[in-house]
Amino acid sequence: MRKKVLLGITLAFLLTVLAGCTEINQPITADSKGFWNEYVVYPLSMVIVYFANLLGSYGFAIVIVTILIRLLILPLMVKQMKNTKAMQVLQPEMKKLKEKYSSKDAKTQQKLQQETMQLFQKYNVNPLAGCFPILIQMPILIGIFHAITRTEEIANNSFLWFDLGSRDPYFALPIIAGITTFIQQKMMMAGNANQNPQMAMLLWLMPIMIVVFAINFPAALSLYWVVGNIFMIVQTYFIKGPDLKASSPASQGAKK
């Protein structure tokens, strides 16, 4: 049932995103029609323009909008972190269940699923909680991209050393985006003694992917990603402080 719900949410998300992709080269205005334009792209465009008029800079406006978006989804991100930590605590018990029901026949596997779900319910853990922040952030990220490229006053403005609607000429922002992504993921994984090889690979693969994408996208999108990462780094530091201290080299050396 949970898989069907997740699949339904994912399909709805993809349909929403793809609905807006056909109008990527059309300016966004108050007359733009469609759910994607009216409820995602145009509101984001107007909020950025509003803060730009208030602050006198489209770059600072994007920074403020990024922070506001992060504050709005903060409760969801905090819940995700707590859920991830709870999942890590449950790993030994889940391992015991897998050993207990190691047979691959359908009846045994069904029993394994039932007891695993009972374990999740006992400790109030939602195995799908980690998916929802991603599903929410992706439309926002793509919406920011549309708002930047389809709003002339944003795309034609500059900030610091780069034009918001063009690629960073020095590739500084993409590199910073990759570094901050690595730091943020490293902090998220702190305290996980049972880290699997796939997660360790993702720690390196994700920053590389971000750099590659950021090189080819408008600098304003990289700015959004960098500011969002810095916000997440600060957030993770305050939420996972004890885990970060326990996994630090100084702490490990003290234990030895």
Side-chain angles (χ1 to χ4, degrees), residues 75-206:
L76 194 61
M77 299 303 295
V78 171
K79 188 173 182 180
Q80 179 201 15
M81 286 186 184
K82 290 181 178 179
N83 194 81
T84 302
K85 189 172 182 178
M87 286 290 289
Q88 292 171 2
V89 173
L90 289 181
Q91 286 302 314
E93 293 191 49
M94 290 175 66
K95 187 177 180 181
K96 289 179 182 178
L97 284 177
K98 288 180 180 179
E99 290 173 353
K100 181 180 178 181
Y101 299 103
S102 57
S103 177
K104 298 299 180 181
D105 63 275
K107 187 176 180 180
T108 304
Q109 288 301 302
Q110 185 178 7
K111 187 67 176 175
L112 172 61
Q113 290 179 10
Q114 289 174 350
E115 292 207 19
T116 301
M117 291 309 300
Q118 289 174 3
L119 188 65
F120 289 153
Q121 291 172 1
K122 179 181 177 181
Y123 290 95
N124 195 27
V125 173
N126 182 0
L128 300 178
C131 302
F132 294 124
I134 297 173
L135 289 174
I136 289 174
Q137 289 182 73
M138 284 306 294
I140 295 173
L141 181 64
I142 299 171
I144 288 283
F145 171 74
H146 276 245
I148 292 164
T149 56
R150 296 172 61 189
T151 307
E152 187 176 351
E153 53 263 53
I154 300 175
N156 293 337
N157 264 271
S158 60
F159 180 66
L160 299 177
W161 67 88
F162 52 86
D163 294 327
L164 293 172
S166 304
R167 296 188 301 173
D168 182 346
Y170 304 111
F171 306 116
L173 275 179
I175 292 171
I176 296 171
I179 293 171
T180 51
T181 298
F182 177 85
I183 294 171
Q184 188 256 321
Q185 288 195 141
K186 186 75 173 176
M187 292 173 72
M188 284 286 289
M189 294 179 185
N192 185 3
N194 301 305
Q195 188 181 113
N196 57 52
Q198 289 82 5
M199 290 299 291
M201 184 182 296
L202 189 64
L203 176 64
W204 295 97
L205 184 61
M206 189 66 176

